[in-house]
Amino acid sequence: MATIYGKSLPLEQKRQVRSEKPKTYGLNFPIGIKLRESNFTRGYFCKESGLNLIKGNLKQLFGTFPGERVMLPKYGLDLRQFLFEPLDSDLFDQIREKIREAISINFPTIEIIKLSVVSLDEVNYTGIPGLKITLTFRLRDDVTQVGDVSIKVGV
């Protein structure tokens, strides 16, 4: 609490002094996953903010195909188009560019620090090798908050 020589400030001045940034809240993803971790204290539709919210939203972006969400027809990434292509550096550059483009459109509040796309040694039931995408990012308004997301595609 802010004081001047031991006296409490009026409410109007306290509001002006407040240094908190407004938080953005959203649903935790995947929905209900925190139930096991929190012993049902947060509920099925628990809210998240900050890095946890962005990580969940990025996972949704990677798992959503364009046109799948009715009100956001351009939201998502179609990474399936790359599954039967030869895994070379040109393909990895195309995937990186597609990811950067989708993130710049849907998440203007984050800055990509590092984006890596590598082939996995694991193969799925069809014999197609998968990809591992690792994204390191930071929030533009708070550069001290750095997060990372790792996604496996095709496995």
Side-chain angles (χ1 to χ4, degrees):
M1 179 159 87
T3 60
I4 299 177
Y5 298 98
K7 296 181 182 179
S8 180
L9 290 175
L11 185 60
E12 297 166 5
Q13 288 181 342
K14 286 181 187 177
R15 288 184 182 148
Q16 292 174 355
V17 174
R18 188 176 288 171
S19 64
E20 293 179 14
K21 295 180 183 176
K23 284 188 173 183
T24 303
Y25 291 99
L27 286 177
N28 178 44
F29 182 79
I31 293 175
I33 199 72
K34 294 283 185 175
L35 285 177
R36 293 176 297 235
E37 298 171 6
S38 64
N39 296 327
F40 300 100
T41 57
R42 296 183 64 193
Y44 194 79
F45 295 103
C46 58
K47 67 180 181 179
E48 288 290 349
S49 65
L51 285 179
N52 289 333
L53 177 64
I54 298 293
K55 286 179 185 181
N57 288 344
L58 285 170
K59 288 178 184 178
Q60 286 180 4
L61 178 74
F62 283 105
T64 305
F65 301 108
E68 187 175 346
R69 292 181 67 173
V70 177
M71 300 303 285
L72 297 170
K74 294 182 180 178
Y75 185 85
L77 283 165
D78 186 12
L79 297 176
R80 289 185 299 181
Q81 67 181 341
F82 301 114
L83 285 180
F84 295 103
E85 299 292 325
L87 298 177
D88 58 2
S89 61
D90 292 336
L91 180 72
F92 293 155
D93 290 340
Q94 289 176 6
I95 294 171
R96 277 190 217 100
E97 186 57 37
K98 193 155 191 90
I99 292 170
R100 287 182 202 279
E101 180 183 329
I103 289 175
S104 68
I105 291 170
N106 296 297
F107 298 102
T109 59
I110 70 170
E111 178 182 349
I112 297 173
I113 298 173
K114 184 179 178 184
L115 175 60
S116 67
V117 179
V118 295
S119 175
L120 290 174
D121 293 334
E122 305 171 31
V123 293
N124 64 8
Y125 64 92
T126 61
I128 301 170
L131 297 173
K132 182 177 181 184
I133 300 169
T134 305
L135 172 69
T136 305
F137 65 92
R138 70 174 161 226
L139 302 178
R140 290 188 192 272
D141 58 349
D142 186 4
V143 294
T144 60
Q145 291 193 349
V146 177
D148 59 341
V149 175
S150 184
I151 308 285
K152 290 184 180 180
V153 179
V155 176

